[in-house]
Amino acid sequence: MSTPVSAPLTSTDAAELGRLLAAGEVSSAEVTQAYLDRIQATDGDLGAYLHVDADAALAAAGEIDAARAKGEELGPLAGIPLALKDVVVTEGVPTTSGSKILEGWRPPYDATVAARLKAAGTVLLGKTNMDEFAMGSSTENSAYKVTRNPWDHDRIPGGSSGGSSAAVAGSLAPWAIGTDTGGSIRQPAAVTGLVGHKPTYGSVSRFGLIAFSSSLDQAGPMTRTVLDAALLHEAIGGHDPLDSTSIDAPVGVLAEAARRGAEGDLTGLRVGVVTELGGDGHTDGYEPGVLARFAEAVALLEGMGAEVRQVSCPAFDLALPAYYLIAPSEASSNLARFDGVRYGLRVGDDGSRDLDEVMALTREQGFGPEVKRRIILGTYALSSGYYEAYYGQAQKVRTLITRDFTSAWDDVDVLVSPTSPTVAWPVGARVDDPIAMYAADLCTLPASLAGLPAISVPCGLSDGLPVGFQVMAPALADDRCYTVAAALEAAQDSARGHRFLDGLATPAGGAA
Ligand code: GLN
């Protein structure tokens, strides 16, 4: 279901904005100004952005409008505004990764993702808030501010890409880029009613993403519709010689897969419901409303011709402990570069201290508590005498998880689960309980550890708050995620008579 004809520019899908821009019905300057006005009016409450440069955005929009006026050949995304998570390095534009240790840093280059979006003619509205170094599930670990969920300002917008989710759900950007290491695109998308896709590991360049856990990090789209996600993914994906883990394969025809899915025919598609992710005997920590919406969505898929069966993936029960050893281990190594010498903050360099003392003081003051916890955890897991017991064991579990997926693909085309065991929780509710915070990632971690593509698409409301449905697919079969998600989106949109996010304008528990 596309945007209603009379919708304001700030609630128009990105695909439709692209059409209006190409047809000359609206200018990029007008669209950009509409978003800047809305940011000005509402971001004081929402806290989605860390940095907005209105002059730069309007200048970029003006250049696109001028090029179009001259009749230059422009791509389908030209003139559409966008927001980038602050983990994406942007030339000359402040980039902090949500940390005080990078305050004031203006990178001398663009990440490949940023460069590709610039080359496509998109207009950067600003950089969005995030958990410090992408460590978290609520955006409360940002060193700068709390971001609120547009559905309920007393609740978290998910994390770590919570600035991006709040910006898009709150109509402060038509779409945004997030990054996902263990769920940071999918979980914030789920709890704010967006579509969020984590691409196959290696299919979107990591060059210029500030590294958290290099064997897991991937950038991807956070959007209002499945088609928008596919379009944004196509723009950022594909081989990049600057990333040594980049897969040398084309990004695939994702928008076409989304359009095909929206036709609603899933005849012959084999769908596996993962028992360990909220199924029989595995419902601890899952809210009944989440499980009910999930079951209804599965029934919708069946109604469109999909063959649904249960699939057991026993090693998924170990994904959480394995992830929370592997990711901190890699982080402890990646974050060694923040030493007070090369970037950003430097503390105590007044001539009275030696280099080690300056480094220690800088890291002591520059990193927040969760980042320190991860560095300590990771350093311990990698240390001599413990390496085999912790990091080594976790890597073995990772292999078992990959094997569970591989054997599942003998029987099914996609696996499905809830995206998050709960809806958005109240701000502050989990800040003192890291284990409860980590539990938000139960459903997203298996695909992360196996490097597989996974999408979250809205599947209704529980207590007036969005619930996400996750579709996981084999490596490089991202198109299947888009097809299934688009089918579900189209079926739900036509049943409720409007797009999911339009429900945000209705009272809680309303029409969506
Ligand atoms: N919540 C997870 C963590 O804290 C995942 C974060 C992410 O995907 N960046 O590590």
Side-chain angles (χ1 to χ4, degrees), residues 6 8 117 138 145 167 183 185 197 201 220 285:
S6 58
L117 290 168
S138 69
K145 58 179 164 184
I185 289 174
H197 182 71
Y201 180 80

Side-chain angles (χ1 to χ4, degrees), residues 191-245:
V191 302
T192 57
L194 302 183
V195 176
H197 182 71
K198 182 196 87 76
T200 298
Y201 180 80
S203 68
V204 173
S205 172
R206 285 185 302 108
F207 178 75
L209 304 185
I210 296 171
F212 163 14
S213 180
S214 306
S215 76
L216 296 158
D217 301 341
Q218 274 291 283
M222 301 176 72
T223 60
R224 294 185 190 141
T225 69
V226 177
L227 178 62
D228 281 359
L231 291 167
L232 192 52
H233 185 167
E234 284 182 358
I236 59 173
H239 184 242
D240 178 14
L242 297 174
D243 171 0
S244 61
T245 59

Side-chain angles (χ1 to χ4, degrees), residues 1-4 7 11-14 224-225 228 489 493 496-504 512:
M1 183 165 298
S2 59
T3 315
S11 52
T12 302
D13 303 344
R224 294 185 190 141
T225 69
D228 281 359
E489 175 185 61
D493 282 359
R496 76 167 79 82
H498 62 78
R499 296 172 315 165
F500 184 76
L501 264 188
D502 297 334
L504 187 47

Side-chain angles (χ1 to χ4, degrees), residues 85 131 133-138 141 159-161 179-187 212 217 323-324 327 370 374 437-438 440-441 444-445 448:
K85 183 178 181 180
D131 286 302
F133 289 108
M135 297 172 185
S137 302
S138 69
N141 294 335
S160 61
S161 313
T179 58
D180 190 312
T181 302
S184 281
I185 289 174
R186 291 164 283 162
Q187 182 261 8
F212 163 14
D217 301 341
Y323 171 86
Y324 279 98
E370 182 63 24
R374 306 273 180 123
M437 191 71 90
Y438 299 171
D441 310 326
T444 48
L445 293 173
S448 298

Side-chain angles (χ1 to χ4, degrees), residues 135-327:
M135 297 172 185
S137 302
S138 69
T139 311
E140 292 162 301
N141 294 335
S142 165
Y144 295 96
K145 58 179 164 184
V146 169
T147 300
R148 306 201 168 255
N149 189 321
W151 292 79
D152 177 349
H153 283 202
D154 293 331
R155 290 176 188 262
I156 56 99
S160 61
S161 313
S164 287
S165 66
V168 179
S171 297
L172 279 66
W175 54 10
I177 293 293
T179 58
D180 190 312
T181 302
S184 281
I185 289 174
R186 291 164 283 162
Q187 182 261 8
V191 302
T192 57
L194 302 183
V195 176
H197 182 71
K198 182 196 87 76
T200 298
Y201 180 80
S203 68
V204 173
S205 172
R206 285 185 302 108
F207 178 75
L209 304 185
I210 296 171
F212 163 14
S213 180
S214 306
S215 76
L216 296 158
D217 301 341
Q218 274 291 283
M222 301 176 72
T223 60
R224 294 185 190 141
T225 69
V226 177
L227 178 62
D228 281 359
L231 291 167
L232 192 52
H233 185 167
E234 284 182 358
I236 59 173
H239 184 242
D240 178 14
L242 297 174
D243 171 0
S244 61
T245 59
S246 170
I247 299 171
D248 196 357
V251 67
V253 279
L254 307 174
E256 196 184 302
R259 289 197 179 95
R260 202 171 49 241
E263 287 166 17
D265 182 6
L266 298 178
T267 308
L269 181 86
R270 298 166 307 161
V271 174
V273 174
V274 182
T275 310
E276 285 72 13
L277 302 178
D280 285 348
H282 298 266
T283 52
D284 256 14
Y286 289 79
E287 289 173 352
V290 167
L291 295 176
R293 291 301 89 74
F294 174 71
E296 289 159 17
V298 170
L300 272 178
L301 297 181
E302 229 168 353
M304 289 185 275
E307 294 164 20
V308 178
R309 67 190 80 174
Q310 293 285 322
V311 173
S312 176
C313 298
F316 285 17
D317 281 339
L318 300 171
L320 198 113
Y323 171 86
Y324 279 98
L325 288 167
I326 292 168

